[in-house]
Amino acid sequence: IERIPKEYIRPEEERPSIGDIFAEEKMDGGPQVPTVDLKGINSEDLEVREKCREELRKAAVDWGVMHLVNHGIPEELTGRVKAAGEGFFGQPIEEKEKYANDQAAGNVQGYGSKLANNASGQLEWEDYFFHCVFPEDKTDLSIWPKTPSDYIDATREYAKHLRALTTTVLAVLSQGLGLEEGRLEKEVGGMEELLLQMKINYYPKCPQPELALGVEAHTDVSALTFILHNMVPGLQLFYEGKWVTAKCVPNSIIMHVGDTVEILSNGKYKSILHRGVVNREKVRVSWAVFCEPPKEKIILQPLPETVSEADPPRFPPRTFAQHIKHKLFRLTDQEGADTPKPDE
């Protein structure tokens, strides 16, 4: 096709901010998403360890998003995860549709092209595959792709590595709030209840990328989000009033602080507004894993230690399910576009 269907065309006031993602990724001026080297995060050398942890905390306070390098997940494994996901999307549509989700029946897991209502009513230029990947007793392997044959093994192993990384990151962020290391992890459900949900986003080439978005502006509702991608640029962050394009950093995992940790920290850590931009030259694929607290069991609110007379609670108490609903059905002042999808 040469023109995109009207359902995908963004509102006129939004379009001036959508530029050429390749040109923008090459630009060196202006603010850049921080890169945090985790090599020393558990070093026996106290100075090395604290320097690394402070960099992570600072990025979480200033940006709420960062490139993590030396994250401990083998490159061979992330390569297998990418090959498996790309292999699934490379199949004929009839094969993919065998895994189609059924939103009307309340089943969002599986293959689809529209995860939920969005703020603007426009469609987004993407297909996706969505499913729970951890804990294993909460996963449903019957809906995981059987082709490529390595999909299940690679994805399960990757999820275990990410779960360990989650514990490490939450420990550092806990310390940054003056709390014991295990506190934030406990507050988001611990090993038993914190869900890791994977959404593979497949953004086809778009004949009119200046008119569409892959994913519209939103903040993640998760505690943390980890993103792998196929080194095609597309992620933009709304930082200090402008859209900043994230560079493609080899062998990195992008990590977002989500709303859940922002709320628990009473806004000390940021959940940044971001979106996905598309292009006409290259397919972009990203593997986002959302670390989510249980929907009803925990009340999300600023932890008592983060609140004072000078810094009263900035967020009302809500369950995770109530927080999602609140965001879905209420436009905010961020360009009218800050309404996320569940599990985004």
Side-chain angles (χ1 to χ4, degrees):
I1 62 169
E2 289 174 23
R3 294 184 177 281
I4 65 174
K6 66 179 188 309
E7 295 87 349
Y8 291 91
I9 296 177
R10 304 305 302 175
E12 209 161 315
E13 63 277 9
E14 201 177 349
R15 283 181 241 155
S17 74
I18 304 173
D20 177 341
I21 195 69
F22 296 112
E24 290 179 14
E25 198 243 351
K26 288 189 179 76
M27 281 165 45
D28 285 329
Q32 305 287 342
V33 176
T35 295
V36 177
D37 187 340
L38 296 186
K39 195 174 182 184
I41 200 151
N42 291 316
S43 170
E44 289 179 10
D45 182 325
L46 182 63
E47 201 175 316
V48 170
R49 184 168 77 236
E50 200 38 55
K51 181 173 181 288
C52 175
R53 292 180 172 216
E54 183 51 39
E55 279 179 21
L56 195 158
R57 288 192 287 264
K58 186 175 184 323
V61 168
D62 294 349
W63 280 80
V65 64
M66 61 204 79
H67 301 284
L68 300 179
V69 296
N70 290 314
H71 42 69
I73 301 178
E75 195 180 336
E76 177 265 340
L77 177 57
T78 57
R80 283 171 59 202
V81 169
K82 291 180 187 180
E86 288 174 340
F88 172 77
F89 280 100
Q91 298 179 102
I93 188 75
E94 307 78 58
E95 289 301 309
K96 292 183 282 196
E97 292 215 322
K98 290 176 183 172
Y99 297 93
N101 59 17
D102 184 356
Q103 305 246 5
N107 181 18
V108 295
Q109 295 202 76
Y111 171 71
S113 62
K114 190 171 188 287
L115 192 51
N117 302 322
N118 54 22
S120 62
Q122 267 79 27
L123 292 175
E124 297 166 323
W125 196 262
E126 68 154 355
D127 283 356
Y128 65 86
F129 195 96
F130 179 73
H131 59 107
C132 178
V133 293
F134 195 92
E136 288 192 351
D137 63 351
K138 292 187 169 71
T139 60
D140 178 3
L141 290 183
S142 72
I143 61 134
W144 290 35
K146 310 291 181 287
T147 307
S149 57
D150 191 37
Y151 185 97
I152 291 176
D153 287 347
T155 304
R156 286 176 94 168
E157 195 179 333
Y158 178 61
K160 284 182 199 159
H161 278 275
L162 269 191
R163 187 61 188 82
L165 182 57
T166 301
T167 295
T168 301
V169 169
L170 289 175
V172 174
L173 296 180
S174 281
Q175 280 184 318
L177 297 171
L179 307 169
E180 61 277 14
E181 282 198 1
R183 179 69 179 281
L184 277 179
E185 169 133 3
K186 179 170 158 269
E187 296 289 346
V188 297
M191 197 54 84
E192 302 297 312
E193 297 286 349
L194 186 71
L195 289 183
L196 269 58
Q197 312 254 34
M198 179 183 274
K199 182 174 173 239
I200 309 175
N201 300 292
Y202 180 89
Y203 306 103
K205 295 176 195 176
C206 179
Q208 294 177 294
E210 68 286 354
L211 299 181
L213 284 175
V215 171
E216 70 182 19
H218 65 283
T219 61
D220 287 355
V221 293
S222 59
L224 301 172
T225 303
F226 295 96
I227 302 172
L228 275 178
H229 58 79
N230 65 339
M231 293 296 285
V232 174
L235 174 65
Q236 292 188 323
L237 300 307
F238 197 67
Y239 183 75
E240 295 184 343
K242 289 197 177 74
W243 286 108
V244 175
T245 298
K247 302 277 186 200
C248 290
V249 177
N251 303 325
S252 70
I253 292 177
I254 295 167
M255 187 189 83
H256 287 271
V257 171
D259 296 352
T260 295
V261 163
E262 181 180 63
I263 291 166
L264 292 170
S265 72
N266 200 26
K268 180 175 168 71
Y269 298 129
K270 303 282 185 300
S271 179
I272 194 169
L273 191 70
H274 56 283
R275 68 184 186 184
V277 179
V278 292
N279 72 83
R280 58 167 59 84
E281 295 162 47
K282 293 182 178 176
V283 169
R284 181 168 185 259
V285 190
S286 69
W287 289 256
V289 174
F290 306 100
C291 307
E292 299 188 348
K295 284 202 160 51
E296 305 288 354
K297 286 189 180 176
I298 291 168
I299 299 295
L300 290 182
Q301 59 188 331
L303 298 174
E305 296 89 340
T306 66
V307 173
S308 65
E309 211 169 301
D311 195 6
R314 300 181 197 184
F315 305 92
R318 290 191 178 104
T319 64
F320 186 60
Q322 286 169 334
H323 175 67
I324 291 172
K325 202 172 275 187
H326 162 76
K327 291 192 70 170
L328 269 177
F329 299 112
R330 187 185 65 93
L331 283 175
T332 72
D333 56 2
Q334 287 275 22
E335 306 182 327
D338 183 12
T339 302
K341 294 156 226 29
D343 311 304
E344 254 270 283

